[in-house]
Amino acid sequence: MATTSSNKMPLLVDRPLHSFATIGGAACLGTATNFNTVSGGGCVLLVDCSSNDGGIIDSISIVANEASTTASTVLVFLSVATSANGINTSNTACVASAAIASSSAGQRTNISLPPLCVPVPNLAGPAATTTTFASETDKKNTGLYVPSGALIYVGVNTVLTAPSASTRVHVFAQGGFF
């Protein structure tokens, strides 16, 4: 098995993670502008690590199903609640979010994820085509670690009502399980 020059083990993923959820029929917040008012009624399970060794999410994307979708914010929550009914402010935290407002069907929005401790290889000083050094964020891969026993839920801060009451968006996650 290969190791790095410092004898640290590389990140090992046993199984790929590909998951999706459809959201928009109910709000996941009690107050649309307060991310601390999470309620399970509008939260949909995206990734379940409650019975495995955890995982890592490399990317989360939102795809609008219809043109002119209601402007809203898609929220990503890390929780230890095993069902949406058990979600409350003491066991769930918002870890990522992205604003959506589609002008065309199929529009894709990627949610920015925080930097991980996994560096990007060969990203050092300025290249011949740039005059600035890479920032600390540029030097790291981004994603979300999902610890064993935790779940990722997603939801919108306001109900999607335009262009119709049945408007929904899909949220896709990809990564790997440990």
Side-chain angles (χ1 to χ4, degrees):
M1 181 180 307
T3 62
T4 63
S5 62
S6 62
N7 289 329
K8 302 283 189 296
M9 295 298 293
L11 179 66
L12 298 176
V13 173
D14 287 339
R15 296 174 321 281
L17 179 159
H18 295 282
S19 184
F20 79 94
T22 303
I23 58 174
C28 67
L29 298 175
T31 304
T33 57
N34 184 349
F35 291 0
N36 288 322
T37 60
V38 62
S39 69
C43 291
V44 177
L45 180 64
L46 183 64
V47 176
D48 184 352
C49 289
S50 62
S51 59
N52 60 27
D53 291 332
I56 186 166
I57 298 173
D58 293 333
S59 69
I60 300 176
S61 300
I62 307 154
V63 176
N65 295 334
E66 299 179 63
S68 305
T69 302
T70 306
S72 185
T73 301
V74 173
L75 304 166
V76 180
F77 296 99
L78 178 68
S79 180
V80 293
T82 56
S83 73
N85 293 334
I87 291 176
N88 58 49
T89 56
S90 65
N91 64 15
T92 304
C94 183
V95 293
S97 65
I100 58 166
S102 72
S103 56
S104 62
Q107 183 174 346
R108 179 185 176 130
T109 304
N110 292 321
I111 296 179
S112 294
L113 299 176
L116 300 171
C117 61
V118 180
V120 175
N122 302 323
L123 188 60
T129 58
T130 64
T131 58
T132 59
F133 284 94
S135 71
E136 282 303 309
T137 302
D138 292 334
K139 294 178 186 177
K140 296 181 179 178
N141 289 308
T142 59
L144 284 176
Y145 286 118
V146 184
S148 179
L151 299 96
I152 297 290
Y153 291 95
V154 291
V156 289
N157 68 333
T158 57
V159 176
L160 302 181
T161 57
S164 72
S166 63
T167 298
R168 303 292 182 266
V169 295
H170 292 304
V171 181
F172 297 92
Q174 66 180 12
F177 292 108
F178 301 133

